[in-house]
Amino acid sequence: MLSFLTSDSQGISVSLCIIICFSLSRWLKSDTRKLSHIPSLTIDLPLLSYIGVIQFTLASGKLLQRGYDRYKGGIFKVPEFFRWHVIVSGKMLVEEMRKANDDELSFEQANDAILYLDYTFCREVHENPYHISVVRTSLTRNLGVLYPIVREELMMASHEYISPTEDWIKIDAFQTIMKIVCRTSNRIFVGLPLCRDAEFMELNINFTMEVVKTAFLFNMVPKFLRGFVTRLTSLEAMKRRAEMLLRPLVEERLALLEQYGDGWSDKPNDMLSWLIDASPRGDGQLQSVVLRVLMVNFGAIHTSSMSFAHALYHLAAFPEYQAELRKEVDTVAEEFGWTKEGLAKMVKVDSFIKESSRYYGLGSISLARIAAKDFTFSDGTFIPKGTMVSAAARAMHFDEENYANADVFDPWRFTNSDKPGSSASLRNQFVNTHPDFLLFGLGKHACPGRFFASTELKSLLANFVFTYDMRLQKDGVVPPPTWIGAALVPDRNAAVMFRRRQSKL
Ligand SMILES: *[C@@H]1O[C@H](CO)[C@@H](O)[C@H](O)[C@H]1NC(C)=O
């Protein structure tokens, strides 16, 4: 993403842009013919279509809203550097995307086309994504028993990085959030003491950013330059370093498994154990497990930190929301303690995070797929094999038919205001996926880590309002997020002011 680029890579990207304009205009032309039946929001002519590419890169939210206003319930397309991106709108067609099989609309292929997994991780990660089922099943199933240590790590990390003082202190919000999220997540990924190791944490945070940056650059360069671009990044060096840090731990676990087999009664119940169990035995096992630890960290750090930053900026801008949330958190914590059960009763906390995800979200699209063969939607729109298709998530989140006063940030939108104090209905819950709430995607490829993410984000928000008063340097002004391609990125340099809460328990 642009803001992650260093100045030298900016120079490179400018020169690459020139190559691009020449090589691409031809490419887009043949692609354009195959998709000419799908209306375009931008000019289709060679070179001039780059105006559209720039619009998509710098203001995709606005561009897709324009498409939605014109073609709601239908299908349109927008240009990216090397491909057209077909955008599907309306619940009916989005449901068809959900129902499509993997051999029709492929999640794997789209994921690879967005993150370039073969280069950023390695082919093996892309071909045998066992980490996804580990996250979906083992992580989700163990959330209850592991909640106390998640909570403990989160508390310790927060206190360490944001000390609750009487006077206001200024905190570099985004960096701090990433550190708290990284450390908390790794408490159940790799356990103590590695989760608190400064180098291990920094490495995972750096790696996450480097993957995003590399994928963004890949998106702008022709295929033959990819090998060259990879050499400009530090991905390989970071992978080797991660292997050195994790090797002793993995080797110890493998040796104990060998020795005790199923009879190993003290076997740690963490992500590393689950990954080792799920990984293919033999030569590449260590490397495979190390890459999955990096992958799971990538999944956990990037999206959760972005989501939490959006929520925190809004919360800091509006102290009245802090007071309202604090009432709920104080009451629930007193009755249920800081437990998973208690967390489920924090309806307003859940609603705040969900509204922030609706209002800011992660970007303009969701449910990215690539047509694995020719595909036809029920409205007759023909999608040729190889086409990238996504849902107009943000525009649907702002549709008055789905949400009354959709333009208003209403933090209690998802509470059952008619039945105060009751648990939110399943439909209202943050983790629930639905064609009108597409943050996590939909269907069998919905984000496998969403139960963990929800638990972590809610605990973090509850802990913040319980412990601190928060405000911004300029009262009431949310630091504006930036569009970078399809992503809506929160301000990465904004400061948030914290002090120990002044109101009594
Ligand atoms: C992470 O990135 C920062 C800034 O580029 C660098 O100073 C630091 O050495 C990196 N740390 C690791 C462990 O890679």
Side-chain angles (χ1 to χ4, degrees):
M1 298 191 180
L2 273 177
S3 62
F4 305 144
L5 299 177
T6 55
S7 52
D8 59 326
S9 49
Q10 258 161 11
I12 293 159
S13 45
V14 168
S15 358
L16 290 176
C17 271
I18 299 169
I19 307 173
I20 287 158
C21 287
F22 286 98
S23 56
L24 296 164
S25 52
R26 219 187 64 209
W27 187 91
L28 265 181
K29 230 164 63 187
S30 73
D31 202 50
T32 302
R33 230 176 300 115
K34 277 194 289 179
L35 292 171
S36 60
H37 58 292
I38 299 179
S40 166
L41 294 183
T42 54
I43 306 167
D44 272 4
L45 299 170
L47 285 178
L48 285 182
S49 68
Y50 280 83
I51 298 171
V53 176
I54 291 164
Q55 282 177 309
F56 184 77
T57 306
L58 301 179
S60 77
K62 216 163 126 192
L63 183 65
L64 266 58
Q65 186 62 52
R66 212 169 78 209
Y68 192 76
D69 293 341
R70 206 179 303 167
Y71 303 109
K72 180 178 161 179
I75 296 177
F76 52 92
K77 67 176 192 265
V78 290
E80 288 190 74
F81 283 97
F82 286 95
R83 61 177 166 235
W84 285 99
H85 203 135
V86 170
I87 308 294
V88 171
S89 76
K91 286 185 208 173
M92 192 182 84
L93 297 182
V94 166
E95 270 291 301
E96 288 174 28
M97 290 184 71
R98 176 183 70 80
K99 284 188 206 141
N101 292 324
D102 290 332
D103 60 0
E104 297 171 312
L105 297 179
S106 164
F107 166 84
E108 294 295 337
Q109 281 187 38
N111 204 18
D112 187 43
I114 291 167
L115 291 175
Y116 301 92
L117 295 172
D118 283 4
Y119 294 88
T120 49
F121 288 86
C122 104
R123 173 163 285 277
E124 186 249 340
V125 170
H126 163 209
E127 283 174 349
N128 180 13
Y130 60 83
H131 58 280
I132 294 182
S133 52
V134 166
V135 169
R136 179 176 296 122
T137 56
S138 306
L139 180 61
T140 305
R141 235 182 263 150
N142 280 295
L143 275 180
V145 291
L146 296 177
Y147 185 70
I149 62 168
V150 172
R151 155 93 187 144
E152 179 186 82
E153 201 59 41
L154 187 150
M155 292 283 290
M156 289 184 68
S158 305
H159 272 247
E160 199 174 315
Y161 306 133
I162 312 172
S163 121
T165 48
E166 295 309 314
D167 294 324
W168 289 103
I169 48 168
K170 199 171 116 182
I171 298 289
D172 183 357
F174 196 75
Q175 290 301 323
T176 307
I177 291 167
M178 284 205 296
K179 281 201 286 194
I180 298 174
V181 167
C182 177
R183 186 167 143 181
T184 304
S185 308
N186 276 288
R187 178 73 186 266
I188 56 176
F189 292 174
V190 298
L192 285 170
L194 194 57
C195 70
R196 291 181 196 161
D197 181 277
E199 192 193 353
F200 183 75
M201 282 174 49
E202 209 174 274
L203 183 74
N204 275 297
I205 292 171
N206 284 8
F207 187 79
T208 297
M209 288 311 182
E210 196 75 359
V211 169
V212 173
K213 182 174 118 182
T214 307
F216 185 80
L217 282 175
F218 272 20
N219 212 14
M220 301 196 303
V221 304
K223 212 169 181 171
F224 69 91
L225 284 176
R226 282 186 199 159
F228 172 70
V229 172
T230 330
R231 253 175 281 139
L232 297 177
T233 72
S234 359
L235 286 173
E236 290 311 313
M238 290 189 199
K239 286 179 205 167
R240 282 196 298 274
R241 190 67 203 146
E243 190 178 316
M244 279 167 75
L245 290 171
L246 283 162
R247 178 188 285 273
L249 200 56
V250 177
E251 283 181 345
E252 187 195 345
R253 301 259 183 118
L254 286 173
L256 288 164
L257 271 177
E258 181 85 3
Q259 193 177 344
Y260 297 113
D262 290 340
W264 182 8
S265 54
D266 300 335
K267 183 171 155 186
N269 187 25
D270 60 15
M271 176 69 69
L272 195 61
S273 286
W274 310 326
L275 287 172
I276 290 174
D277 287 345
S279 61
R281 306 279 168 273
D283 277 351
Q285 193 174 10
L286 170 70
Q287 286 76 11
S288 173
V289 169
V290 169
L291 283 171
R292 305 315 159 109
V293 171
L294 286 170
M295 185 76 196
V296 173
N297 264 285
F298 171 76
I301 296 171
H302 183 56
T303 47
S304 293
S305 299
M306 294 223 301
S307 301
F308 194 75
H310 285 308
L312 176 64
Y313 292 153
H314 208 96
L315 184 67
F318 298 96
E320 65 269 31
Y321 296 158
Q322 296 169 35
E324 187 80 22
L325 287 170
R326 190 171 289 143
K327 261 191 278 173
E328 178 182 82
V329 171
D330 285 355
T331 312
V332 172
E334 193 175 346
E335 193 174 339
F336 296 91
W338 287 94
T339 57
K340 188 97 187 345
E341 190 196 4
L343 205 61
K345 304 277 182 202
M346 294 182 186
V347 183
K348 286 186 175 163
V349 172
D350 195 279
S351 176
F352 193 94
I353 301 257
K354 184 165 184 178
E355 177 66 349
S356 167
S357 306
R358 179 191 74 85
Y359 193 82
Y360 299 102
L362 295 169
S364 51
I365 57 173
S366 177
L367 236 77
R369 300 287 186 266
I370 283 185
K373 58 180 174 199
D374 292 350
F375 183 83
T376 306
F377 280 96
S378 67
D379 71 344
T381 306
F382 173 72
I383 307 292
K385 179 180 173 184
T387 308
M388 173 84 100
V389 185
S390 289
R394 184 178 173 84
M396 289 172 73
H397 288 178
F398 279 84
D399 186 333
E400 289 286 325
E401 271 181 37
N402 299 333
Y403 298 98
N405 302 317
D407 285 338
V408 177
F409 187 105
D410 172 4
W412 324 127
R413 187 185 289 279
F414 300 103
T415 57
N416 298 10
S417 47
D418 49 327
K419 284 180 270 158
S422 64
S423 300
S425 62
L426 190 63
R427 169 80 167 83
N428 269 341
Q429 281 173 22
F430 178 48
V431 285
N432 188 248
T433 61
H434 189 274
D436 64 25
F437 183 70
L438 295 168
L439 180 81
F440 296 117
L442 202 59
K444 66 173 180 295
H445 293 299
C447 168
R450 67 186 187 281
F451 292 94
F452 175 64
S454 161
T455 302
E456 198 174 50
L457 293 175
K458 285 175 66 180
S459 305
L460 200 48
L461 189 71
N463 181 45
F464 272 22
V465 295
F466 188 78
T467 315
Y468 309 103
D469 289 331
M470 289 154 271
R471 66 177 179 83
L472 295 167
Q473 284 178 295
K474 263 200 251 157
D475 272 330
V477 184
V478 177
T482 312
W483 283 103
I484 302 172
L488 185 60
V489 183
D491 189 330
R492 294 175 66 247
N493 301 309
V496 173
M497 314 289 289
F498 284 82
R499 70 172 177 199
R500 186 192 298 279
R501 70 184 266 190
Q502 302 292 296
S503 61
K504 294 261 171 326
L505 249 182

